[in-house]
Amino acid sequence: MNEIARHRNLSIYGAVLSLLHVWTWISWSPLRSNSFNRLATEIPICWSYFPSCDEWRPLVLHYLSLVAGIYLLLGLLSAVSFAAKKTKIAYWIFLLAGVVKWIIISIDYHFMGNYHYMHLAACLFFLFVPGKSAAIKKLIVGFYLGAGLLKFGPSWLSGTALLRPPVISGAILDWALAYVVVLETIFAPLLLCRDRRLFYFAFVQILIFHLFSWHIVDSFYPITMFGLLSIFVIPNKTEERPHRRWISNAALGLFAALQLIPLFLFPESSLTGEGRILALNMLDASTTCNNRIYFRSANRFESLGPVRTGVRIRCDPAVQIALIRRKCRELKDSAHPDFDFYFWTRRLSDKDYKLVVARRSVCARPLRMNFLGGVTQ
Amino acid sequence: MRWLYLIWSVAVAATLAQALRETQSTKEYFKSSAFHEQPTLLIGDQPSNTDGNIIMFRGDPQRSGRLSGRLAPSYRESWSVSPFNDGEHTAAKSSPLVDGSVVYAASDMGEVAAFDQSGRRIWHLSVPDSARGFHSTPVIVGDTLYIGDYLGELFAIERHSGKVLWVKDLGDAIGASPLFHDGFLYIVVESELSDGYLVKLDAVRGKLAWSTTSLGAQSHSSPVMNTQGTEIYVGANNGQIFAFDTRAGRLLWKIQTEGAIQGAGLYADGRLFYTNRAGELLAVEASSGRQLWRATLESWSMSSPALITENYIAVADERKLYIYTFAGERIYSWPLEENFQRSSPLVVHEQGGNSIVMACKGRYLCAFDAQSFQGRILATLPAAASSVPALAGDQLYITLDHGPLLQLTRQPRPATASGPIKR
């Protein structure tokens, strides 16, 4: 807290991060995606660490407007407080805003998003890690490196991971996709360079990249990134004294480990969902999937769904488990209350599908997710 | 740090170059093939049993459409199962198969079932979310029945109990009928992207052997095989006929015709016979794809030719039934007196001659003598039929387009509807 009070740039950055809370609220509100209101009608999809979210849904819906309003207020208040240099009060309001954001996200997997992951990570560093300015800059470079490491494969380089077709195509698109990998893994670290020419060489390209991505990923992500990147350009008149650097290094090491764990331990995480909760997984793959249920007692095949979700999560096993839970509830008193479940998926750049789940009697023996999002029974 | 950065950059560049090569290889694959293998879902505890009788659409892998039997003077309805077919899709309906005293039939309402001689349902499998149900005719191999649905799934079903052994999603739709030969199934699959391909599966566990390159269009044309079992032929909606080798699925030749090919072909004596929607009957040399001759029918055709004897085939278009020689000479024709006729002739080889059985005059089943050219009405049907009837002893089974599955039993007297059918 003292560090924020001593450095004007951190107060300004705190205000920016607070405004990103407001921007998040806007994004969830009827002004944009209307995620708050859609919770009432959409199937509950639970995070692995909150598997019974559907049982809490009536209570959540009852208080959701209040919580959303509190979230908006906290974002605004902390922004104003940081701008007015009321550091102590701003700090606690800002902390509370982060907690409320995390609570809202935990209500339903529909709220999942890499931009929220990055924003909350930056908030945590801002709140708790000493040497904030330097640490957050390194964290942001870590975001790009983490994102870039996911792009070394046909999913990205063929363009199938893009959410929408871009305005460029053909060979220009191929080169652009390869360029993004270079930008994120080779040029992005130059943001930490003391040589201002090298810094601006990287920074300007990154700005242009996010501007260009607007028509593909819509506005929320680029604006969030502009907010996070502002740490690099907010003037800093007071030099930071490096102290307790080990905390900063440990925090960055932890962040790096969280990105690398799924990459090496769960290489199929874009298909199985396992490990995705730990790391960034933006545009790691666009997937397509199928499910089938088989009623043994009736000798009948059906499918579960469809379900309205974002493109990014539509093939996550969490969604399938939500569908199974709903179907089991519907069938509870019927003549055929149980079924076998089969689920398979592939990245759009893969030739073949992978069977992710094949289980009998999933109502009598419900599927569950472990903490990392992998399916168990 | 500078050196570290340099090493890192080189490592990234090298990895990126490798990834780009892999991506290029993937793109090349997708240019030529729409097929993405989906897992075989092992439902039952046992694999398929394929020892024993083989019964398939048109009787054999050459799709001769010919069987030995004895036709009654006429038939009357003895029982019906209703509702059975109810859909509007213009593809021909699934034809029933009979083995002994059990008849197997599949409906466009998403049910495949077995019935005993009295019409009692022994078992059924339902796929209610398949909007077009089943149009493909099953193939029976030993104790297993295989059938494809309009969601693109191929089912292996234990045919005495109806229990599903395995199911494999092959694509977006299966409208054509599978072919079985030497332990493998050959299935034509449709893709929603107006494309299709042929796949070969091991019949015991549903393991993929190969899939072909894209046909460039969807296909309702059931695959046909040569007598040696070395080549397999498929027609498609783009008017092309393809030949693939059965061992590796390699394309041997393809030719272009003037209209969509929607019936199965017929292989006989080294020749392939196909009809198309441009109203052509074509004969093609099977080994090379060289066109031998082309005849113009009087209307479009979705029908599969049938072998009468060596040197003669029966073929139908929307309005007429014809006999042609292998050399392309039209010998005879009968008016079927209906529009939008989609059924295929069935040749019944009887003692003393051959009869051609066809749906005709809208709601009748007719028989045409291939020697005397006399036609007669076999039975009155409650609705039109695009499927091919199955003959078993004194019974005929047929599925109707907007109507039931029927069992027809022989009558000693001719049908009372209007008499012989003249040329």
Side-chain angles (χ1 to χ4, degrees):
Chain A
M1 204 185 307
N2 290 337
E3 187 182 346
I4 298 170
R6 280 201 309 271
H7 296 91
R8 183 64 185 143
N9 68 316
L10 289 176
S11 293
I12 296 171
Y13 194 62
V16 170
L17 290 179
S18 302
L19 287 174
L20 287 181
H21 280 303
V22 177
W23 175 231
T24 303
W25 183 92
I26 292 172
S27 164
W28 287 338
S29 74
L31 294 171
R32 288 181 56 85
S33 67
N34 203 21
S35 301
F36 288 137
N37 292 333
R38 288 217 312 261
L39 276 187
T41 51
E42 281 172 353
I43 179 173
I45 302 173
C46 302
W47 287 87
S48 56
Y49 58 83
F50 187 20
S52 56
C53 73
D54 48 349
E55 294 165 25
W56 287 82
R57 183 54 55 94
L59 187 69
V60 162
L61 290 175
H62 188 68
Y63 289 105
L64 185 59
S65 298
L66 178 66
V67 172
I70 290 171
Y71 178 56
L72 173 63
L73 196 61
L74 290 171
L76 287 169
L77 282 176
S78 72
V80 166
S81 303
F82 275 120
K85 292 194 203 170
K86 306 286 184 202
T87 307
K88 192 170 177 183
I89 193 168
Y91 184 93
W92 290 109
I93 295 174
F94 180 71
L95 172 64
L96 208 52
V99 170
V100 173
K101 179 173 184 175
W102 177 77
I103 289 173
I104 293 173
I105 289 172
S106 299
I107 287 170
D108 197 293
Y109 195 61
H110 277 109
F111 287 110
M112 180 268 194
N114 284 278
Y115 20 72
H116 303 314
Y117 180 104
M118 289 190 285
H119 179 221
L120 286 175
C123 290
L124 279 173
F125 269 58
F126 182 78
L127 286 165
F128 301 115
V129 176
K132 293 175 196 311
S133 190
I136 291 172
K137 287 176 183 174
K138 287 173 189 165
L139 175 70
I140 290 171
V141 168
F143 291 158
Y144 288 107
L145 283 173
L149 287 176
L150 296 172
K151 295 183 168 76
F152 283 91
S155 270
W156 172 259
L157 293 171
S158 64
T160 56
L162 294 173
L163 299 180
R164 295 188 192 94
V167 295
I168 53 176
S169 60
I172 299 175
L173 176 61
D174 291 342
W175 280 106
L177 293 166
Y179 161 75
V180 169
V181 180
V182 172
L183 176 67
E184 290 185 334
T185 54
I186 296 180
F187 294 161
L190 295 177
L191 291 173
L192 302 175
C193 228
R194 287 190 188 153
D195 185 330
R196 298 313 283 172
R197 287 172 301 181
L198 290 174
F199 166 77
Y200 280 112
F201 169 74
F203 190 71
V204 167
Q205 287 184 79
I206 283 173
L207 287 184
I208 294 171
F209 162 64
H210 286 304
L211 277 171
F212 182 81
S213 73
W214 198 298
H215 75 290
I216 300 169
V217 299
D218 211 351
S219 59
F220 185 78
Y221 174 54
I223 290 178
T224 300
M225 291 312 298
F226 291 149
L228 295 176
L229 285 166
S230 63
I231 188 82
F232 289 98
V233 293
I234 296 172
N236 180 15
K237 290 190 181 127
T238 325
E239 194 174 319
E240 281 181 24
R241 278 177 296 142
H243 62 287
R244 290 187 290 169
R245 197 178 281 174
W246 68 269
I247 299 177
S248 164
N249 291 338
L252 288 165
L254 178 61
F255 173 79
L258 290 176
Q259 310 314 303
L260 295 173
I261 287 171
L263 203 58
F264 291 109
L265 293 186
F266 308 111
E268 302 281 36
S269 66
S270 59
L271 299 178
T272 65
E274 191 158 20
R276 291 189 107 185
I277 196 175
L278 298 175
L280 291 168
N281 41 60
M282 63 188 80
L283 302 177
D284 57 346
S286 193
T287 52
T288 181
C289 50
N290 286 326
N291 69 44
R292 260 343 221 159
I293 61 174
Y294 176 55
F295 293 88
R296 278 184 190 265
S297 53
N299 212 23
R300 185 173 83 236
F301 278 88
E302 288 177 16
S303 289
L304 289 182
V307 59
R308 181 186 161 147
T309 66
V311 167
R312 291 283 296 109
I313 67 168
R314 68 180 169 202
C315 290
D316 280 9
V319 175
Q320 303 301 312
I321 287 178
L323 289 169
I324 292 169
R325 284 169 69 94
R326 181 175 69 175
K327 189 73 174 177
C328 290
R329 276 197 299 272
E330 286 169 11
L331 296 173
K332 200 167 153 227
D333 298 317
S334 72
H336 306 288
D338 210 345
F339 52 87
D340 303 346
F341 176 75
Y342 303 89
F343 172 65
W344 57 101
T345 181
R346 75 174 172 95
R347 287 170 283 255
L348 290 184
S349 57
D350 289 343
K351 290 178 191 171
D352 300 323
Y353 284 81
K354 179 188 167 72
L355 184 65
V356 176
V357 181
R359 294 277 203 269
R360 290 196 186 185
S361 305
V362 291
C363 294
R365 298 184 297 151
L367 290 177
R368 297 187 204 293
M369 282 189 290
N370 59 28
F371 178 76
L372 294 178
V375 174
T376 62
Q377 189 168 28
Chain B
M1 280 306 275
R2 208 174 287 180
W3 282 108
L4 203 61
Y5 179 72
L6 202 59
I7 292 167
W8 166 255
S9 302
V10 168
V12 164
T15 311
L16 181 59
Q18 173 61 27
L20 285 167
R21 277 193 290 274
E22 191 189 328
T23 303
Q24 190 53 34
S25 159
T26 303
K27 282 182 174 179
E28 291 301 324
Y29 171 81
F30 286 135
K31 270 188 206 156
S32 64
S33 177
F35 179 68
H36 301 285
E37 185 182 0
Q38 302 189 50
T40 305
L41 308 183
L42 300 173
I43 310 285
D45 297 321
Q46 302 291 332
S48 312
N49 177 352
T50 56
D51 299 322
N53 242 2
I54 303 170
I55 310 171
M56 68 178 78
F57 179 62
R58 312 302 280 155
D60 50 52
Q62 290 70 52
R63 308 293 191 190
S64 65
R66 187 169 187 264
L67 56 83
S68 296
R70 191 171 62 105
L71 282 176
S74 68
Y75 293 83
R76 62 171 171 77
E77 181 182 319
S78 44
W79 53 255
S80 68
V81 172
S82 188
F84 201 75
N85 284 325
D86 200 31
E88 297 294 334
H89 189 44
T90 55
K93 304 298 178 192
S94 175
S95 301
L97 297 181
V98 184
D99 185 30
S101 58
V102 180
V103 59
Y104 303 90
S107 81
D108 64 10
M109 295 172 74
E111 186 187 60
V112 58
F115 303 89
D116 66 16
Q117 289 274 287
S118 66
R120 183 184 65 90
R121 197 182 253 105
I122 301 169
W123 58 258
H124 75 276
L125 167 73
S126 58
V127 187
D129 57 354
S130 175
R132 290 175 173 167
F134 297 93
H135 283 259
S136 151
T137 297
V139 55
I140 292 171
V141 185
D143 291 334
T144 309
L145 179 146
Y146 302 91
I147 187 166
D149 71 5
Y150 245 85
L151 289 177
E153 300 170 306
L154 183 79
F155 294 90
I157 304 168
E158 203 291 316
R159 69 181 179 97
H160 304 293
S161 63
K163 293 295 174 204
V164 176
L165 298 169
W166 52 261
V167 58
K168 190 174 183 76
D169 197 329
L170 294 173
D172 294 317
I174 299 173
S177 303
L179 182 152
F180 174 85
H181 176 73
D182 197 22
F184 291 92
L185 293 159
Y186 299 82
I187 308 109
V188 174
V189 185
E190 297 173 33
S191 156
E192 265 177 3
L193 302 169
S194 291
D195 203 349
Y197 37 84
L198 177 68
V199 302
K200 176 179 176 181
L201 295 185
D202 157 60
V204 173
R205 289 191 185 276
K207 196 166 167 329
L208 180 77
W210 49 250
S211 65
T212 64
T213 52
S214 292
L215 303 178
Q218 293 176 340
S219 172
H220 298 99
S221 170
S222 301
V224 186
M225 186 175 276
N226 66 358
T227 42
Q228 300 92 324
T230 55
E231 293 178 6
I232 189 159
Y233 315 97
V234 177
N237 283 358
N238 54 10
Q240 293 185 338
I241 304 171
F242 300 81
F244 299 98
D245 90 279
T246 55
R247 200 174 55 83
R250 193 173 45 94
L251 179 69
L252 299 171
W253 53 258
K254 70 176 177 186
I255 61 168
Q256 181 71 54
T257 74
E258 295 297 316
I261 307 228
Q262 294 182 323
L266 162 68
Y267 177 93
D269 194 31
R271 297 173 173 86
L272 284 169
F273 301 94
Y274 274 96
T275 64
N276 65 24
R277 290 292 290 245
E280 298 178 319
L281 168 65
L282 299 117
V284 170
E285 185 177 69
S287 59
S288 64
R290 183 173 65 92
Q291 186 179 296
L292 297 170
W293 52 261
R294 184 176 64 182
T296 303
L297 305 173
E298 291 180 28
S299 185
W300 58 262
S301 176
M302 290 173 55
S303 193
S304 308
L307 181 69
I308 301 174
T309 61
E310 301 81 23
N311 223 26
Y312 294 97
I313 60 172
V315 64
D317 65 16
E318 186 201 5
R319 298 201 191 105
K320 278 192 164 181
L321 172 67
Y322 309 84
I323 295 180
Y324 275 84
T325 68
F326 274 25
E329 186 192 346
R330 184 188 296 184
I331 301 297
Y332 204 78
S333 67
W334 294 269
L336 297 174
E337 294 180 43
E338 68 174 289
N339 291 328
F340 207 57
Q341 195 293 120
R342 294 163 290 154
S343 181
S344 299
L346 170 71
V347 172
V348 180
H349 175 67
E350 303 179 271
Q351 239 181 354
N354 296 285
S355 296
I356 309 165
V357 176
M358 272 277 340
C360 69
K361 290 162 96 69
R363 291 188 177 202
Y364 296 94
L365 199 58
C366 299
F368 303 89
D369 189 300
Q371 275 74 45
S372 67
F373 306 137
Q374 295 293 310
R376 73 183 191 279
I377 289 172
L378 283 180
T380 306
L381 306 173
S386 57
S387 68
V388 178
L391 177 67
D394 290 338
Q395 274 80 41
L396 264 176
Y397 299 88
I398 190 164
T399 56
L400 305 184
D401 289 354
H402 292 280
L405 161 70
L406 290 182
Q407 185 199 59
L408 305 169
T409 303
R410 71 181 293 127
Q411 286 194 124
R413 292 193 217 114
T416 54
S418 54
I421 297 159
K422 302 229 192 298
R423 186 175 185 170

